[in-house]
Amino acid sequence: MKTAGLIGLGKITRHYAEGLDSSSFLNLCAVSDINPNSVSRELYSSLPFFADYKDMISSAKPDFAIISTPPESHFEIAKFCLENNTNVIIEKPVVLNIADFDALCGLAKEKALKFITLFHWQGGIELDSFNSVYNPEDIKEINVFVSDPYSDDGKSINTSVRALMGAWIDSGVNALSMIKMWLPFKSLEIIKTNSVKCTKTDLPLYASAELLIDKVRVSISVDWRSHKTLKESYITLSDKKVYINHSEQSLSDNTGSVSLAKRERMTEHYYNLFTRLDGRENTESARLIHKFLLEVNDAL
């Protein structure tokens, strides 16, 4: 097993615990957060805690750093870890421009280190089921809808989630990471985009994109103005339509519906990601996802 230090103990890392506890590849040895009262610290209270991730890297000397901090901080933290001979596992989105992504990947290659991106939707049990039943070559159209209650007034993003960098960057990457499981991402044509910007940050509060990816029509809509959480996809195949309710972890077509939930959705995602982790990189795939994500972001 390899040792790992976790950087960032925000809300998302409470979903890491079960997967990391069950991993046959990683053994968590230390945690770090600038906030000594961070919301997930109690889950990891048995481990050495560092207020400065640099101290954790130099003292605990983990084989891997798991970076789960706001996207704007990713480049600086990942660069430090790589420069100090520590492999990196990092939350999506890795960075906010493709040049920074390439710089980190180049540094990892130079140092002969691993650079792995966590795309939590790829750990969805409903996607495991879809991939085992249907042939991606039969996909003719993909429509993805994401709704999150991240605005109280319908005009501005709530302060607590502004570090996510807006609806498209945070949730568009999830949709694209799912679609990359099915399509090679050889080509992208942006047909139409639309957005409603936050009045306080100018970040997208709502974003939609109509795309052609590898000549497959793709529509992605992300809305933070509603007061509900719902993630769903409609997949048109050659001979049928499939409805994926990611929120309920269920799958249905014209033959019926099946509920697949074993754990809370996000916990399921990270349980699958961490228990499947074996050190193999996803750098090329992650770069294409980020390339398409950022090209659409520039068009919004």
mmCIF file with all atom_site columns, all heavy atoms in Angstrom, residues 198-218:
data_model
loop_
_atom_site.group_PDB
_atom_site.id
_atom_site.type_symbol
_atom_site.label_atom_id
_atom_site.label_alt_id
_atom_site.label_comp_id
_atom_site.label_asym_id
_atom_site.label_entity_id
_atom_site.label_seq_id
_atom_site.pdbx_PDB_ins_code
_atom_site.Cartn_x
_atom_site.Cartn_y
_atom_site.Cartn_z
_atom_site.occupancy
_atom_site.B_iso_or_equiv
_atom_site.pdbx_formal_charge
_atom_site.auth_seq_id
_atom_site.auth_comp_id
_atom_site.auth_asym_id
_atom_site.auth_atom_id
_atom_site.pdbx_PDB_model_num
ATOM 1   N N   . CYS A 1 198 ? -24.108 35.687 -12.056 1.00 0.00 ? 198 CYS A N   1
ATOM 2   C CA  . CYS A 1 198 ? -24.310 36.148 -10.681 1.00 0.00 ? 198 CYS A CA  1
ATOM 3   C C   . CYS A 1 198 ? -24.087 37.660 -10.623 1.00 0.00 ? 198 CYS A C   1
ATOM 4   O O   . CYS A 1 198 ? -23.097 38.178 -11.160 1.00 0.00 ? 198 CYS A O   1
ATOM 5   C CB  . CYS A 1 198 ? -23.330 35.423 -9.767  1.00 0.00 ? 198 CYS A CB  1
ATOM 6   S SG  . CYS A 1 198 ? -23.174 36.083 -8.104  1.00 0.00 ? 198 CYS A SG  1
ATOM 7   N N   . THR A 1 199 ? -24.978 38.370 -9.970  1.00 0.00 ? 199 THR A N   1
ATOM 8   C CA  . THR A 1 199 ? -24.885 39.835 -9.915  1.00 0.00 ? 199 THR A CA  1
ATOM 9   C C   . THR A 1 199 ? -23.726 40.316 -9.051  1.00 0.00 ? 199 THR A C   1
ATOM 10  O O   . THR A 1 199 ? -23.299 41.463 -9.172  1.00 0.00 ? 199 THR A O   1
ATOM 11  C CB  . THR A 1 199 ? -26.194 40.428 -9.369  1.00 0.00 ? 199 THR A CB  1
ATOM 12  O OG1 . THR A 1 199 ? -26.494 39.826 -8.103  1.00 0.00 ? 199 THR A OG1 1
ATOM 13  C CG2 . THR A 1 199 ? -27.352 40.189 -10.326 1.00 0.00 ? 199 THR A CG2 1
ATOM 14  N N   . LYS A 1 200 ? -23.183 39.428 -8.216  1.00 0.00 ? 200 LYS A N   1
ATOM 15  C CA  . LYS A 1 200 ? -22.104 39.838 -7.312  1.00 0.00 ? 200 LYS A CA  1
ATOM 16  C C   . LYS A 1 200 ? -20.728 39.346 -7.745  1.00 0.00 ? 200 LYS A C   1
ATOM 17  O O   . LYS A 1 200 ? -19.717 39.951 -7.379  1.00 0.00 ? 200 LYS A O   1
ATOM 18  C CB  . LYS A 1 200 ? -22.411 39.352 -5.895  1.00 0.00 ? 200 LYS A CB  1
ATOM 19  C CG  . LYS A 1 200 ? -23.661 39.992 -5.305  1.00 0.00 ? 200 LYS A CG  1
ATOM 20  C CD  . LYS A 1 200 ? -23.933 39.501 -3.889  1.00 0.00 ? 200 LYS A CD  1
ATOM 21  C CE  . LYS A 1 200 ? -25.189 40.167 -3.323  1.00 0.00 ? 200 LYS A CE  1
ATOM 22  N NZ  . LYS A 1 200 ? -25.493 39.677 -1.946  1.00 0.00 ? 200 LYS A NZ  1
ATOM 23  N N   . THR A 1 201 ? -20.672 38.283 -8.517  1.00 0.00 ? 201 THR A N   1
ATOM 24  C CA  . THR A 1 201 ? -19.371 37.719 -8.898  1.00 0.00 ? 201 THR A CA  1
ATOM 25  C C   . THR A 1 201 ? -19.148 37.645 -10.397 1.00 0.00 ? 201 THR A C   1
ATOM 26  O O   . THR A 1 201 ? -18.025 37.437 -10.849 1.00 0.00 ? 201 THR A O   1
ATOM 27  C CB  . THR A 1 201 ? -19.227 36.294 -8.345  1.00 0.00 ? 201 THR A CB  1
ATOM 28  O OG1 . THR A 1 201 ? -20.188 35.448 -9.008  1.00 0.00 ? 201 THR A OG1 1
ATOM 29  C CG2 . THR A 1 201 ? -19.454 36.255 -6.837  1.00 0.00 ? 201 THR A CG2 1
ATOM 30  N N   . ASP A 1 202 ? -20.207 37.763 -11.186 1.00 0.00 ? 202 ASP A N   1
ATOM 31  C CA  . ASP A 1 202 ? -20.177 37.601 -12.638 1.00 0.00 ? 202 ASP A CA  1
ATOM 32  C C   . ASP A 1 202 ? -19.882 36.161 -13.063 1.00 0.00 ? 202 ASP A C   1
ATOM 33  O O   . ASP A 1 202 ? -19.637 35.898 -14.232 1.00 0.00 ? 202 ASP A O   1
ATOM 34  C CB  . ASP A 1 202 ? -19.166 38.553 -13.290 1.00 0.00 ? 202 ASP A CB  1
ATOM 35  C CG  . ASP A 1 202 ? -19.525 38.848 -14.749 1.00 0.00 ? 202 ASP A CG  1
ATOM 36  O OD1 . ASP A 1 202 ? -20.727 38.992 -15.045 1.00 0.00 ? 202 ASP A OD1 1
ATOM 37  O OD2 . ASP A 1 202 ? -18.610 38.918 -15.593 1.00 0.00 ? 202 ASP A OD2 1
ATOM 38  N N   . LEU A 1 203 ? -19.928 35.237 -12.117 1.00 0.00 ? 203 LEU A N   1
ATOM 39  C CA  . LEU A 1 203 ? -19.805 33.820 -12.452 1.00 0.00 ? 203 LEU A CA  1
ATOM 40  C C   . LEU A 1 203 ? -21.165 33.294 -12.892 1.00 0.00 ? 203 LEU A C   1
ATOM 41  O O   . LEU A 1 203 ? -22.194 33.796 -12.445 1.00 0.00 ? 203 LEU A O   1
ATOM 42  C CB  . LEU A 1 203 ? -19.320 33.029 -11.239 1.00 0.00 ? 203 LEU A CB  1
ATOM 43  C CG  . LEU A 1 203 ? -17.914 33.328 -10.732 1.00 0.00 ? 203 LEU A CG  1
ATOM 44  C CD1 . LEU A 1 203 ? -17.689 32.643 -9.379  1.00 0.00 ? 203 LEU A CD1 1
ATOM 45  C CD2 . LEU A 1 203 ? -16.866 32.871 -11.739 1.00 0.00 ? 203 LEU A CD2 1
ATOM 46  N N   . PRO A 1 204 ? -21.205 32.288 -13.768 1.00 0.00 ? 204 PRO A N   1
ATOM 47  C CA  . PRO A 1 204 ? -22.498 31.755 -14.216 1.00 0.00 ? 204 PRO A CA  1
ATOM 48  C C   . PRO A 1 204 ? -23.302 31.137 -13.070 1.00 0.00 ? 204 PRO A C   1
ATOM 49  O O   . PRO A 1 204 ? -22.832 30.259 -12.363 1.00 0.00 ? 204 PRO A O   1
ATOM 50  C CB  . PRO A 1 204 ? -22.108 30.684 -15.237 1.00 0.00 ? 204 PRO A CB  1
ATOM 51  C CG  . PRO A 1 204 ? -20.757 31.074 -15.712 1.00 0.00 ? 204 PRO A CG  1
ATOM 52  C CD  . PRO A 1 204 ? -20.084 31.676 -14.515 1.00 0.00 ? 204 PRO A CD  1
ATOM 53  N N   . LEU A 1 205 ? -24.511 31.649 -12.924 1.00 0.00 ? 205 LEU A N   1
ATOM 54  C CA  . LEU A 1 205 ? -25.484 31.082 -11.997 1.00 0.00 ? 205 LEU A CA  1
ATOM 55  C C   . LEU A 1 205 ? -26.306 30.014 -12.724 1.00 0.00 ? 205 LEU A C   1
ATOM 56  O O   . LEU A 1 205 ? -26.799 29.070 -12.117 1.00 0.00 ? 205 LEU A O   1
ATOM 57  C CB  . LEU A 1 205 ? -26.383 32.209 -11.492 1.00 0.00 ? 205 LEU A CB  1
ATOM 58  C CG  . LEU A 1 205 ? -27.418 31.959 -10.426 1.00 0.00 ? 205 LEU A CG  1
ATOM 59  C CD1 . LEU A 1 205 ? -26.766 31.469 -9.148  1.00 0.00 ? 205 LEU A CD1 1
ATOM 60  C CD2 . LEU A 1 205 ? -28.205 33.237 -10.147 1.00 0.00 ? 205 LEU A CD2 1
ATOM 61  N N   . TYR A 1 206 ? -26.415 30.207 -14.017 1.00 0.00 ? 206 TYR A N   1
ATOM 62  C CA  . TYR A 1 206 ? -27.059 29.252 -14.925 1.00 0.00 ? 206 TYR A CA  1
ATOM 63  C C   . TYR A 1 206 ? -26.206 29.181 -16.182 1.00 0.00 ? 206 TYR A C   1
ATOM 64  O O   . TYR A 1 206 ? -25.681 30.207 -16.655 1.00 0.00 ? 206 TYR A O   1
ATOM 65  C CB  . TYR A 1 206 ? -28.473 29.719 -15.296 1.00 0.00 ? 206 TYR A CB  1
ATOM 66  C CG  . TYR A 1 206 ? -29.055 28.998 -16.492 1.00 0.00 ? 206 TYR A CG  1
ATOM 67  C CD1 . TYR A 1 206 ? -29.678 27.765 -16.358 1.00 0.00 ? 206 TYR A CD1 1
ATOM 68  C CD2 . TYR A 1 206 ? -28.953 29.555 -17.768 1.00 0.00 ? 206 TYR A CD2 1
ATOM 69  C CE1 . TYR A 1 206 ? -30.190 27.100 -17.460 1.00 0.00 ? 206 TYR A CE1 1
ATOM 70  C CE2 . TYR A 1 206 ? -29.469 28.905 -18.880 1.00 0.00 ? 206 TYR A CE2 1
ATOM 71  C CZ  . TYR A 1 206 ? -30.087 27.674 -18.712 1.00 0.00 ? 206 TYR A CZ  1
ATOM 72  O OH  . TYR A 1 206 ? -30.588 27.013 -19.809 1.00 0.00 ? 206 TYR A OH  1
ATOM 73  N N   . ALA A 1 207 ? -26.028 27.991 -16.706 1.00 0.00 ? 207 ALA A N   1
ATOM 74  C CA  . ALA A 1 207 ? -25.271 27.838 -17.945 1.00 0.00 ? 207 ALA A CA  1
ATOM 75  C C   . ALA A 1 207 ? -25.839 26.687 -18.752 1.00 0.00 ? 207 ALA A C   1
ATOM 76  O O   . ALA A 1 207 ? -26.221 25.649 -18.193 1.00 0.00 ? 207 ALA A O   1
ATOM 77  C CB  . ALA A 1 207 ? -23.792 27.580 -17.649 1.00 0.00 ? 207 ALA A CB  1
ATOM 78  N N   . SER A 1 208 ? -25.903 26.880 -20.051 1.00 0.00 ? 208 SER A N   1
ATOM 79  C CA  . SER A 1 208 ? -26.324 25.792 -20.935 1.00 0.00 ? 208 SER A CA  1
ATOM 80  C C   . SER A 1 208 ? -25.460 25.803 -22.186 1.00 0.00 ? 208 SER A C   1
ATOM 81  O O   . SER A 1 208 ? -24.971 26.847 -22.621 1.00 0.00 ? 208 SER A O   1
ATOM 82  C CB  . SER A 1 208 ? -27.801 25.929 -21.319 1.00 0.00 ? 208 SER A CB  1
ATOM 83  O OG  . SER A 1 208 ? -28.010 27.083 -22.112 1.00 0.00 ? 208 SER A OG  1
ATOM 84  N N   . ALA A 1 209 ? -25.256 24.623 -22.732 1.00 0.00 ? 209 ALA A N   1
ATOM 85  C CA  . ALA A 1 209 ? -24.444 24.499 -23.936 1.00 0.00 ? 209 ALA A CA  1
ATOM 86  C C   . ALA A 1 209 ? -25.018 23.414 -24.829 1.00 0.00 ? 209 ALA A C   1
ATOM 87  O O   . ALA A 1 209 ? -25.324 22.315 -24.360 1.00 0.00 ? 209 ALA A O   1
ATOM 88  C CB  . ALA A 1 209 ? -23.006 24.166 -23.563 1.00 0.00 ? 209 ALA A CB  1
ATOM 89  N N   . GLU A 1 210 ? -25.190 23.761 -26.089 1.00 0.00 ? 210 GLU A N   1
ATOM 90  C CA  . GLU A 1 210 ? -25.553 22.783 -27.109 1.00 0.00 ? 210 GLU A CA  1
ATOM 91  C C   . GLU A 1 210 ? -24.295 22.496 -27.922 1.00 0.00 ? 210 GLU A C   1
ATOM 92  O O   . GLU A 1 210 ? -23.701 23.410 -28.502 1.00 0.00 ? 210 GLU A O   1
ATOM 93  C CB  . GLU A 1 210 ? -26.673 23.314 -27.993 1.00 0.00 ? 210 GLU A CB  1
ATOM 94  C CG  . GLU A 1 210 ? -27.990 23.513 -27.250 1.00 0.00 ? 210 GLU A CG  1
ATOM 95  C CD  . GLU A 1 210 ? -29.098 24.036 -28.136 1.00 0.00 ? 210 GLU A CD  1
ATOM 96  O OE1 . GLU A 1 210 ? -28.979 23.875 -29.379 1.00 0.00 ? 210 GLU A OE1 1
ATOM 97  O OE2 . GLU A 1 210 ? -30.068 24.601 -27.611 1.00 0.00 ? 210 GLU A OE2 1
ATOM 98  N N   . LEU A 1 211 ? -23.895 21.245 -27.964 1.00 0.00 ? 211 LEU A N   1
ATOM 99  C CA  . LEU A 1 211 ? -22.610 20.867 -28.523 1.00 0.00 ? 211 LEU A CA  1
ATOM 100 C C   . LEU A 1 211 ? -22.746 19.700 -29.499 1.00 0.00 ? 211 LEU A C   1
ATOM 101 O O   . LEU A 1 211 ? -23.721 18.946 -29.455 1.00 0.00 ? 211 LEU A O   1
ATOM 102 C CB  . LEU A 1 211 ? -21.652 20.440 -27.400 1.00 0.00 ? 211 LEU A CB  1
ATOM 103 C CG  . LEU A 1 211 ? -21.565 21.338 -26.164 1.00 0.00 ? 211 LEU A CG  1
ATOM 104 C CD1 . LEU A 1 211 ? -20.804 20.628 -25.051 1.00 0.00 ? 211 LEU A CD1 1
ATOM 105 C CD2 . LEU A 1 211 ? -20.917 22.659 -26.511 1.00 0.00 ? 211 LEU A CD2 1
ATOM 106 N N   . LEU A 1 212 ? -21.743 19.563 -30.331 1.00 0.00 ? 212 LEU A N   1
ATOM 107 C CA  . LEU A 1 212 ? -21.524 18.330 -31.085 1.00 0.00 ? 212 LEU A CA  1
ATOM 108 C C   . LEU A 1 212 ? -20.185 17.781 -30.629 1.00 0.00 ? 212 LEU A C   1
ATOM 109 O O   . LEU A 1 212 ? -19.144 18.410 -30.842 1.00 0.00 ? 212 LEU A O   1
ATOM 110 C CB  . LEU A 1 212 ? -21.505 18.587 -32.591 1.00 0.00 ? 212 LEU A CB  1
ATOM 111 C CG  . LEU A 1 212 ? -22.845 18.708 -33.319 1.00 0.00 ? 212 LEU A CG  1
ATOM 112 C CD1 . LEU A 1 212 ? -22.608 18.979 -34.798 1.00 0.00 ? 212 LEU A CD1 1
ATOM 113 C CD2 . LEU A 1 212 ? -23.690 17.444 -33.143 1.00 0.00 ? 212 LEU A CD2 1
ATOM 114 N N   . ILE A 1 213 ? -20.217 16.645 -29.972 1.00 0.00 ? 213 ILE A N   1
ATOM 115 C CA  . ILE A 1 213 ? -18.988 15.984 -29.553 1.00 0.00 ? 213 ILE A CA  1
ATOM 116 C C   . ILE A 1 213 ? -18.865 14.702 -30.358 1.00 0.00 ? 213 ILE A C   1
ATOM 117 O O   . ILE A 1 213 ? -19.735 13.826 -30.279 1.00 0.00 ? 213 ILE A O   1
ATOM 118 C CB  . ILE A 1 213 ? -18.994 15.678 -28.043 1.00 0.00 ? 213 ILE A CB  1
ATOM 119 C CG1 . ILE A 1 213 ? -19.111 16.976 -27.225 1.00 0.00 ? 213 ILE A CG1 1
ATOM 120 C CG2 . ILE A 1 213 ? -17.735 14.908 -27.652 1.00 0.00 ? 213 ILE A CG2 1
ATOM 121 C CD1 . ILE A 1 213 ? -19.165 16.755 -25.723 1.00 0.00 ? 213 ILE A CD1 1
ATOM 122 N N   . ASP A 1 214 ? -17.815 14.644 -31.161 1.00 0.00 ? 214 ASP A N   1
ATOM 123 C CA  . ASP A 1 214 ? -17.642 13.490 -32.052 1.00 0.00 ? 214 ASP A CA  1
ATOM 124 C C   . ASP A 1 214 ? -18.904 13.238 -32.871 1.00 0.00 ? 214 ASP A C   1
ATOM 125 O O   . ASP A 1 214 ? -19.333 12.094 -33.073 1.00 0.00 ? 214 ASP A O   1
ATOM 126 C CB  . ASP A 1 214 ? -17.262 12.241 -31.251 1.00 0.00 ? 214 ASP A CB  1
ATOM 127 C CG  . ASP A 1 214 ? -16.002 12.450 -30.427 1.00 0.00 ? 214 ASP A CG  1
ATOM 128 O OD1 . ASP A 1 214 ? -15.123 13.204 -30.870 1.00 0.00 ? 214 ASP A OD1 1
ATOM 129 O OD2 . ASP A 1 214 ? -15.913 11.865 -29.331 1.00 0.00 ? 214 ASP A OD2 1
ATOM 130 N N   . LYS A 1 215 ? -19.551 14.334 -33.283 1.00 0.00 ? 215 LYS A N   1
ATOM 131 C CA  . LYS A 1 215 ? -20.756 14.339 -34.120 1.00 0.00 ? 215 LYS A CA  1
ATOM 132 C C   . LYS A 1 215 ? -22.006 13.836 -33.399 1.00 0.00 ? 215 LYS A C   1
ATOM 133 O O   . LYS A 1 215 ? -23.036 13.613 -34.033 1.00 0.00 ? 215 LYS A O   1
ATOM 134 C CB  . LYS A 1 215 ? -20.519 13.553 -35.417 1.00 0.00 ? 215 LYS A CB  1
ATOM 135 C CG  . LYS A 1 215 ? -19.409 14.144 -36.278 1.00 0.00 ? 215 LYS A CG  1
ATOM 136 C CD  . LYS A 1 215 ? -19.255 13.411 -37.593 1.00 0.00 ? 215 LYS A CD  1
ATOM 137 C CE  . LYS A 1 215 ? -18.153 14.044 -38.439 1.00 0.00 ? 215 LYS A CE  1
ATOM 138 N NZ  . LYS A 1 215 ? -17.972 13.346 -39.734 1.00 0.00 ? 215 LYS A NZ  1
ATOM 139 N N   . VAL A 1 216 ? -21.908 13.639 -32.096 1.00 0.00 ? 216 VAL A N   1
ATOM 140 C CA  . VAL A 1 216 ? -23.073 13.293 -31.285 1.00 0.00 ? 216 VAL A CA  1
ATOM 141 C C   . VAL A 1 216 ? -23.612 14.573 -30.652 1.00 0.00 ? 216 VAL A C   1
ATOM 142 O O   . VAL A 1 216 ? -22.862 15.338 -30.053 1.00 0.00 ? 216 VAL A O   1
ATOM 143 C CB  . VAL A 1 216 ? -22.707 12.275 -30.181 1.00 0.00 ? 216 VAL A CB  1
ATOM 144 C CG1 . VAL A 1 216 ? -23.892 12.041 -29.250 1.00 0.00 ? 216 VAL A CG1 1
ATOM 145 C CG2 . VAL A 1 216 ? -22.246 10.960 -30.801 1.00 0.00 ? 216 VAL A CG2 1
ATOM 146 N N   . ARG A 1 217 ? -24.927 14.788 -30.804 1.00 0.00 ? 217 ARG A N   1
ATOM 147 C CA  . ARG A 1 217 ? -25.528 15.991 -30.237 1.00 0.00 ? 217 ARG A CA  1
ATOM 148 C C   . ARG A 1 217 ? -25.594 15.865 -28.717 1.00 0.00 ? 217 ARG A C   1
ATOM 149 O O   . ARG A 1 217 ? -26.116 14.883 -28.183 1.00 0.00 ? 217 ARG A O   1
ATOM 150 C CB  . ARG A 1 217 ? -26.925 16.224 -30.812 1.00 0.00 ? 217 ARG A CB  1
ATOM 151 C CG  . ARG A 1 217 ? -27.572 17.538 -30.360 1.00 0.00 ? 217 ARG A CG  1
ATOM 152 C CD  . ARG A 1 217 ? -28.821 17.827 -31.156 1.00 0.00 ? 217 ARG A CD  1
ATOM 153 N NE  . ARG A 1 217 ? -28.521 18.169 -32.531 1.00 0.00 ? 217 ARG A NE  1
ATOM 154 C CZ  . ARG A 1 217 ? -28.199 19.401 -32.938 1.00 0.00 ? 217 ARG A CZ  1
ATOM 155 N NH1 . ARG A 1 217 ? -28.145 20.395 -32.069 1.00 0.00 ? 217 ARG A NH1 1
ATOM 156 N NH2 . ARG A 1 217 ? -27.967 19.629 -34.211 1.00 0.00 ? 217 ARG A NH2 1
ATOM 157 N N   . VAL A 1 218 ? -25.064 16.888 -28.047 1.00 0.00 ? 218 VAL A N   1
ATOM 158 C CA  . VAL A 1 218 ? -24.992 16.905 -26.593 1.00 0.00 ? 218 VAL A CA  1
ATOM 159 C C   . VAL A 1 218 ? -25.550 18.222 -26.076 1.00 0.00 ? 218 VAL A C   1
ATOM 160 O O   . VAL A 1 218 ? -25.192 19.293 -26.575 1.00 0.00 ? 218 VAL A O   1
ATOM 161 C CB  . VAL A 1 218 ? -23.537 16.737 -26.095 1.00 0.00 ? 218 VAL A CB  1
ATOM 162 C CG1 . VAL A 1 218 ? -23.451 16.934 -24.580 1.00 0.00 ? 218 VAL A CG1 1
ATOM 163 C CG2 . VAL A 1 218 ? -22.980 15.374 -26.499 1.00 0.00 ? 218 VAL A CG2 1
#
